[in-house]
C-alpha cells in the first residue's frame, strides 16, 4: 500500500491502493488479511454457539442458574487481574523484536513472563481454595446452588489462571502475526465445548456440566497452541536462566498500565450484571446477559480487526520513523475503523429494527419477559456500535506503547456511570434492569466519543475525515434494515417459530444483498470495487476447480 497523503485523508486515495511491486508492507497486509479472515471465522462459530446455546440453557437450567453461570466468569476475571496485562506485553514486544530479528530479547521476555506467572497463578488458586469460607458469603450464591456453584467457580478459576500462565505461547504467535493458526485451534475447541455442553447439561449436570465443558475446551485449545508454537517458532528458547531486568521492566511498566486498564474494562463490560445481581438478584443478571448476548456475539466479528491491528501497529511503529510512520498509522487506523464499523453496523442495524421478530424466533412466542428484554436488546446493541468504534484507537495506542491514553475511555465512563446510575434510580423510583441498562449504555456512548476524539488528536485527523471514511458507510445498513423491518415483522408474526426462522434467514440474505448493492453504488471507491471483484473472481475460480476435481 502507498503511504497516506494527509491532504487526501478520507478520499479514494487511502483505500486498498494497488502496489506495482512486492514490498514488506504488502506482506504485512496479507498477514493482516489472513489473520482477520481466520479470526472472523472463529468468532462467527463462537457467535453461533453462544446464540444457539442460550435457549437450550434457559430451558434446562433456568434463568437464575444461567445468571449465576454468567456471573461466575465476572468474579473469576477479577481474581486473575494480576496477570492479565502480560498478554499485551507479549504481543507488542515480540512483534517489535521479530521486526528487528532480536530473538534473544524475545526469549528473555517469554522466560521472564512464564517464570513469574506460573508460580503467581498457582499461589492465587491455592489462596482462593484455602480462603473459600471467607469468600463464599461475598458471592451471594443461592443456597440451592451453593455446592454446585463452588465446584463451577473453582474449575473455571483453575482453567482461567492456567490459561493466563501459559498465554505466552499463543500471544507470541499473535505477535508473529500467526493469528490464523491459533484461531483454527480455538474454532475446534469451541465446537468440542458446544457438544459437551449439550451432552452434560442434558444429563443433568447443570452448572457443573458447563464448567466441565469449559475445562475440556481450554485443555484442547492450550495444548494445540503450545504444540504449534514449539513447532513453528524454531528460535524459541525458554528457561528461568534467561530472565533479565529489561524484560521485568516491560512487564511491570507497560504490563502494569494495561493491567489497570483491563481491570476497568472488565468492570465496565459487566457492570450492569454486577449491579443487577447485587441490587435485584440472579434473575436480573441473567436477563441483562440474555439482552447482551446478540450484540456481544456479533461484535466478535469486527473485533477480529482489532486483534490483527495491534501487532501490525507495533510492527509499523518499530519499522518506520517520522512522517512515514505517522502516515502508515493513520492509514491503518482509518482502514480498520472503516471496515470494522461497517461490519458492526451490518449486525446492529438488523438487531435494532428487527428486535421483536428476532426475540420471537430465538426465545419463542411465549416469552414472558419481552416488555423489559426488547428495549434492553435495542439499547445494548446501539451501545455496542459506539463501543466498537473505540477499538482502532485502543489498538493503535497499545501497539505504539501509548497505552495510558486508553484511560480517556475508562475514566469518563466511570464518571458518567456515577451520574447516570443514580439518575436512573431517581427517574424510575427503583432499581430496574431497564434503568440500569440505559444508564450503562449512555455512559458507554459518552466515553466512546471522548476516546475517539483523543485518537483523532493524536493521529491528526478531523471530524470530516472520520465521517466520510467511517461513519457514512455505517449508515447504509440502517437504511436497508429499516426498509425491510415492517414486512419481516408481519411475516414472522404470521408464521410458526421454525418457519419464522426460515423467513428471517431469507430476509437477512435480501438485507445483506441490498446493503452491499447500496454500498457498492454510493460508498465504495473504485479501488475497493476492483478489490472486491478480484476476491469474487478468486472465489468463483476456487469453486470451479473443486467441481472439476469432483
Amino acid at each position: 500500500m502507498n503511504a497516506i497523503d494527509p491532504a487526501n485523508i478520507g478520499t479514494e486515495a487511502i483505500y486498498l491502493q494497488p502496489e506495482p511491486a512486492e514490498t514488506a508492507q504488502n506482506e504485512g497486509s496479507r498477514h493482516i488479511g489472513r489473520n482477520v479472515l481466520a479470526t472472523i471465522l472463529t468468532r462467527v462459530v463462537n457467535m453461533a454457539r453462544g446464540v444457539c446455546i442460550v435457549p437450550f440453557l434457559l430451558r434446562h437450567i433456568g434463568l437464575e442458574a444461567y445468571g449465576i453461570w454468567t456471573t461466575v466468569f465476572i468474579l473469576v476475571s477479577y481474581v486473575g487481574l494480576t496477570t492479565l496485562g502480560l498478554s499485551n506485553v507479549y504481543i507488542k514486544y515480540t512483534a517489535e523484536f521479530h521486526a528487528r530479528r532480536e530473538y534473544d530479547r524475545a526469549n528473555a521476555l517469554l522466560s521472564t513472563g512464564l517464570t513469574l506467572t506460573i508460580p503467581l497463578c498457582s499461589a492465587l488458586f491455592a489462596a482462593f481454595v484455602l480462603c473459600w469460607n471467607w469468600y463464599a458469603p461475598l458471592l451471594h450464591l443461592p443456597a440451592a446452588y451453593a455446592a454446585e456453584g463452588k465446584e463451577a467457580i473453582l474449575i473455571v478459576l483453575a482453567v482461567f489462571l492456567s490459561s493466563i500462565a501459559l498465554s505466552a505461547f499463543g500471544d507470541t504467535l499473535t505477535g508473529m502475526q500467526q493469528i490464523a493458526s491459533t484461531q483454527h485451534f480455538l474454532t475446534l475447541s469451541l465446537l468440542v465445548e458446544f457438544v459437551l455442553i449439550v451432552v452434560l447439561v442434558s444429563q443433568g449436570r447443570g452448572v457443573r456440566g458447563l464448567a466441565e465443558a469449559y475445562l475440556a475446551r481450554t485443555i484442547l485449545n492450550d495444548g494445540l497452541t503450545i504444540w504449534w508454537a514449539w513447532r513453528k517458532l524454531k528460535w524459541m528458547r525458554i528457561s528461568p536462566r534467561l530472565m533479565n531486568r529489561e524484560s521485568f521492566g516491560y512487564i511491570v511498566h507497560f504490563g502494569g498500565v494495561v493491567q489497570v486498564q483491563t481491570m476497568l474494562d472488565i468492570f465496565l463490560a459487566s457492570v450492569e450484571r454486577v449491579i443487577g445481581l447485587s441490587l435485584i438478584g440472579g434473575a436480573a443478571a441473567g436477563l441483562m446477559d440474555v439482552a447482551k448476548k446478540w450484540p456481544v456475539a456479533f461484535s466478535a466479528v469486527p473485533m477480529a480487526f482489532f486483534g490483527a491491528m495491534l501487532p501490525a501497529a507495533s510492527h509499523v511503529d518499530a519499522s518506520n520513523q517520522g512522517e512515514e510512520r505517522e502516515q502508515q498509522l493513520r492509514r491503518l487506523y482509518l482502514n480498520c475503523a472503516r471496515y470494522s464499523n461497517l461490519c458492526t453496523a451490518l449486525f446492529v442495524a438488523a438487531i435494532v429494527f428487527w428486535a421483536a421478530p428476532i426475540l420471537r424466533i430465538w426465545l419463542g412466542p411465549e416469552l414472558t419477559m419481552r416488555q423489559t428484554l426488547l428495549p434492553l436488546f435495542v439499547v445494548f446493541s446501539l451501545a455496542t456500535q459506539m463501543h466498537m468504534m473505540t477499538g482502532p484507537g485502543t489498538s493503535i495506542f497499545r501497539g505504539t506503547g501509548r497505552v495510558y491514553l486508553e484511560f480517556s475511555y475508562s475514566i469518563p465512563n466511570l464518571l458518567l456511570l456515577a451520574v447516570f446510575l443514580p439518575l436512573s434510580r431517581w427517574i424510575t423510583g427503583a432499581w430496574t434492569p431497564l434503568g440500569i441498562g440505559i444508564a450503562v449504555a449512555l455512559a458507554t456512548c459518552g466515553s466512546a466519543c471522548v476516546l475517539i476524539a483523543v485518537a483523532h488528536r493524536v493521529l491528526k485527523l478531523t471530524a470530516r475525515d472520520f465521517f466520510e471514511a467511517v461513519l457514512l458507510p455505517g449508515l447504509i445498513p440502517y437504511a436497508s434494515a429499516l426498509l425491510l423491518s415492517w414486512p419481516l415483522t408481519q411475516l414472522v408474526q404470521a408464521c410458526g417459530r421454525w418457519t419464522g426462522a426460515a423467513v428471517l434467514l431469507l430476509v437477512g440474505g435480501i438485507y445483506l444483498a441490498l446493503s452491499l448493492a447500496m454500498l457498492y453504488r454510493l460508498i465504495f471507491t473504485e479501488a475497493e470495487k476492483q478489490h472486491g471483484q478480484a476476491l469474487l473472481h478468486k472465489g468463483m475460480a476456487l469453486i470451479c476447480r473443486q467441481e472439476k476435481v469432483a
Side-chain angles (χ1 to χ4, degrees):
M1 294 183 180
N2 295 326
I4 188 171
D5 180 357
N8 292 327
I9 296 176
T11 67
E12 180 178 315
I14 68 174
Y15 306 116
L16 301 171
Q17 292 296 311
E19 191 74 40
E22 290 293 324
T23 64
Q25 193 170 343
N26 293 137
E27 181 64 24
S29 298
R30 285 197 295 271
H31 274 303
I32 293 175
R34 286 194 297 267
N35 293 335
V36 168
L37 290 176
T39 307
I40 287 176
L41 174 62
T42 301
R43 294 181 186 275
V44 167
V45 171
N46 192 35
M47 172 184 66
R49 180 193 68 92
V51 169
C52 293
I53 207 68
V54 169
F56 172 80
L57 293 178
L58 291 178
R59 187 176 302 111
H60 283 80
I61 66 175
L63 182 62
E64 185 173 25
Y66 177 76
I68 292 172
W69 170 246
T70 60
T71 308
V72 164
F73 279 91
I74 301 171
L75 300 173
V76 167
S77 296
Y78 289 133
V79 175
L81 286 175
T82 52
T83 53
L84 278 178
L86 189 62
S87 180
N88 285 270
V89 175
Y90 289 141
I91 295 172
K92 171 179 167 53
Y93 288 105
T94 54
E96 290 187 6
F97 297 152
H98 174 66
R100 302 184 186 121
R101 301 296 187 266
E102 297 174 342
Y103 296 121
D104 55 335
R105 299 177 70 189
N107 285 325
L109 177 64
L110 298 176
S111 299
T112 303
L114 286 168
T115 303
L116 291 174
T117 55
I118 291 176
L120 178 59
C121 289
S122 300
L124 281 173
F125 182 74
F128 199 89
V129 172
L130 294 175
C131 300
W132 172 259
N133 292 333
W134 184 80
Y135 288 119
L138 303 177
L139 303 179
H140 302 290
L141 291 174
Y145 296 99
E148 189 176 5
K150 176 183 177 181
E151 183 177 333
I153 288 173
L154 292 179
I155 290 175
V156 174
L157 177 64
V159 170
F160 186 78
L161 291 176
S162 65
S163 293
I164 291 174
L166 300 175
S167 66
F169 300 97
D171 293 334
T172 301
L173 289 171
T174 299
M176 301 295 101
Q177 299 197 53
Q178 298 291 324
I179 300 174
S181 301
T182 63
Q183 296 305 305
H184 296 328
F185 301 145
L186 181 56
T187 300
L188 176 62
S189 64
L190 287 170
L191 294 174
V192 170
E193 181 191 27
F194 179 81
V195 173
L196 288 175
I197 287 175
V198 173
V199 172
L200 294 173
V201 174
S202 298
Q203 292 178 349
R205 296 291 294 171
V207 175
R208 288 190 185 94
L210 292 171
E212 291 160 356
Y214 179 59
L215 173 62
R217 158 192 155 181
T218 306
I219 292 174
L220 178 62
N221 181 59
D222 288 356
L224 289 173
T225 300
I226 293 171
W227 164 75
W228 186 254
W230 280 112
R231 178 178 177 179
K232 189 71 174 178
L233 306 177
K234 303 299 184 182
W235 53 264
M236 190 167 65
R237 303 289 185 272
I238 295 175
S239 171
R241 292 176 296 179
L242 297 178
M243 290 181 61
N244 61 26
R245 183 176 298 179
E246 179 191 49
S247 299
F248 184 77
Y250 291 144
I251 293 170
V252 171
H253 297 124
F254 183 86
V257 175
V258 174
Q259 175 186 311
V260 174
Q261 182 60 44
T262 302
M263 177 178 64
L264 294 174
D265 288 343
I266 292 175
F267 173 74
L268 294 173
S270 58
V271 61
E272 72 284 339
R273 282 168 288 174
V274 173
I275 295 174
L277 179 66
S278 303
L279 299 178
I280 305 176
L287 178 66
M288 285 188 281
D289 184 82
V290 171
K292 291 189 75 172
K293 184 62 67 175
W294 277 57
V296 169
F298 283 124
S299 68
V301 176
M303 284 177 66
F305 291 91
F306 313 147
M309 188 178 175
L310 195 158
S314 295
H315 192 277
V316 168
D317 188 51
S319 304
N320 301 274
Q321 295 180 350
E323 183 59 25
E324 176 71 15
R325 170 182 169 276
E326 299 303 320
Q327 289 175 353
Q328 290 194 31
L329 287 175
R330 282 195 290 268
R331 171 186 286 278
L332 190 62
Y333 174 85
L334 280 176
N335 279 334
C336 180
R338 180 178 176 87
Y339 300 121
S340 62
N341 185 59
L342 183 55
C343 283
T344 307
L346 284 169
F347 293 123
V348 171
I351 295 175
V352 168
F353 290 110
W354 304 352
I358 286 174
L359 289 176
R360 178 183 176 88
I361 294 167
W362 183 37
L363 299 177
E366 69 281 359
L367 181 66
T368 58
M369 49 186 174
R370 187 186 309 276
Q371 186 174 0
T372 301
L373 186 57
L374 183 62
L376 277 176
F377 202 51
V378 173
V379 165
F380 285 150
S381 298
L382 292 171
T384 298
Q385 175 90 52
M386 289 298 300
H387 179 63
M388 287 296 102
M389 289 186 191
T390 67
T394 56
S395 297
I396 289 287
F397 295 157
R398 292 192 179 188
T400 58
R402 291 178 280 194
V403 67
Y404 56 88
L405 292 176
E406 291 186 55
F407 289 113
S408 59
Y409 174 79
S410 53
I411 292 178
N413 204 324
L414 291 172
L415 294 175
L416 290 173
L417 281 173
V419 174
F420 289 133
L421 281 171
L423 185 62
S424 71
R425 170 67 174 79
W426 178 72
I427 292 174
T428 60
W431 290 113
T432 65
L434 182 58
I436 294 172
I438 291 175
V440 171
L442 289 174
T444 298
C445 294
S447 57
C449 292
V450 175
L451 185 137
I452 291 171
V454 171
H456 292 179
R457 177 180 57 81
V458 170
L459 296 172
K460 300 177 183 177
L461 293 169
T462 67
R464 180 177 179 180
D465 298 330
F466 191 70
F467 177 80
E468 293 178 351
V470 180
L471 295 182
L472 187 58
L475 297 177
I476 297 297
Y478 283 87
S480 302
L482 179 60
L483 288 173
L484 296 170
S485 62
W486 185 84
L488 174 65
T489 302
Q490 299 303 312
L491 287 171
V492 169
Q493 288 180 348
C495 299
R497 189 174 180 184
W498 291 107
T499 306
V503 170
L504 180 61
L505 290 174
L506 177 61
V507 175
I510 297 172
Y511 159 71
L512 181 60
L514 179 60
S515 298
L516 291 177
M518 294 174 67
L519 287 166
Y520 188 89
R521 183 71 178 85
L522 302 174
I523 299 296
F524 287 162
T525 66
E526 287 301 320
E528 288 175 315
K529 292 177 183 179
Q530 292 173 10
H531 187 71
Q533 291 169 1
L535 290 176
L536 181 61
H537 291 156
K538 288 181 181 179
M540 294 299 296
L542 180 61
I543 293 173
C544 291
R545 283 199 300 268
Q546 291 177 342
E547 290 178 349
K548 289 180 180 179
V549 171

